[in-house]
Each structure stands twice: as structure tokens, then as C-alpha cells.
Amino acid sequence: MSAPDAELRRAAASLELVRGQIEALARQGETLEIALEEVLRARESLTQAGATGAGRELLMPIGANSFLIGSLKDAERVIVGIGSDVAVEMTLPAAVERLEARVKAIEEAERGLAERMAQLDGQAEAQSRRVQVLYEKAQGASPPG
């Protein structure tokens, strides 16, 4: 294998690696978006429950887009997951505040992810141009320019 062919193979492999990283980051972005939607729904539900007050009828989600009809016993206390399958009781305002912090953290992670994806897009574009030039050299054509 000639040196130009080897260089072309390395450049193409590098391009595929960058594209793989972009795809992985896109999947992470989708996961963050799902998490953000869930936190926003929880925050809205808590806010509405607090505004409605105890004794009011509400729908309790049980999964598969199904709900139980119930009434709110206590509009001031909630159970909130804090990670590692651990949940604690909090006041409603403290729970909403905790969810607000989660929203900010997820949004910050999304911004960081978007920045990294933009960097990788630039690298992929540059690497793609390099592969094209190396391919044209290997074929005996002169690069455009």
C-alpha cells in the first residue's frame, strides 16, 4: 500500500470516528431533551397542585397513558427523588425549587453538548475536505482550488 493510500485510509477512519462522536452526542441530546420534558412536566404538576390545594380532584398518571382519579390529600408536602433510587419528603416550594435547579442544569448540559457538536461538525467538515483532497491525489487528479 502506497503512502498516499495509507494516509487516505487514516483520514477516512478519522472522519468516521468524528461522525460517530457526533451521532453519540446527538443521542445524548435526545436523552437530555426527554429528561428536560419530564422535569418541566413535574414542575408544572407541582405548581398546579399547589395552586389547586388539598381536597381537589386530580388525575394520577400510572403509565401507558393511563390515570387514576383521586384527590389531593396534602398540597404542601411532596416526595422527590434525589438520585440513586432515593426519595425524600420536601415542602412543595422546596420541591419546585429543586426542579428549577434541575431544569437549569439540564439546559446548561444541552448548551455544552451543542457547543461540542458544533466543534465536531467543524472537524468533520475539515476532515471531509482532507479526505476529498487525498482521494483526488490518489486518483492522480489535482485538487480544486
Side-chain angles (χ1 to χ4, degrees):
M1 180 181 328
S2 68
D5 286 343
E7 188 177 358
L8 175 58
R9 289 184 194 277
R10 282 192 302 273
S14 178
L15 175 58
E16 286 306 308
L17 180 66
V18 171
R19 286 181 177 161
Q21 290 173 338
I22 291 170
E23 288 175 15
L25 289 177
R27 286 189 300 274
Q28 288 177 9
E30 291 169 3
T31 300
L32 284 173
E33 187 60 34
I34 290 167
L36 179 61
E37 289 172 9
E38 184 178 333
V39 172
L40 290 171
R41 262 192 317 274
R43 182 188 66 186
E44 180 64 21
S45 294
L46 288 178
T47 302
Q48 290 299 319
T52 300
R56 297 296 302 258
E57 189 175 274
L58 55 89
L59 297 175
M60 297 177 286
I62 58 171
N65 207 21
S66 300
F67 302 85
L68 293 173
I69 299 172
S71 62
L72 186 59
K73 181 178 177 179
D74 185 343
E76 290 301 314
R77 297 179 304 145
V78 297
I79 306 293
V80 177
I82 59 171
S84 299
D85 292 329
V86 176
V88 296
E89 183 177 306
M90 297 181 168
T91 64
L92 190 132
V96 170
E97 187 176 313
R98 181 171 181 77
L99 291 173
E100 287 289 344
R102 279 188 186 170
V103 167
K104 288 178 184 172
I106 292 169
E107 288 173 341
E108 182 62 33
E110 285 180 325
R111 280 190 293 276
L113 197 61
E115 289 172 8
R116 180 67 180 134
M117 285 181 73
Q119 290 171 348
L120 287 173
D121 280 339
Q123 287 178 10
E125 189 176 314
Q127 195 65 22
S128 181
R129 285 192 303 269
R130 183 169 183 261
V131 166
Q132 182 65 34
V133 167
L134 291 171
Y135 176 78
E136 289 172 358
K137 279 184 182 178
Q139 296 300 312
S142 61

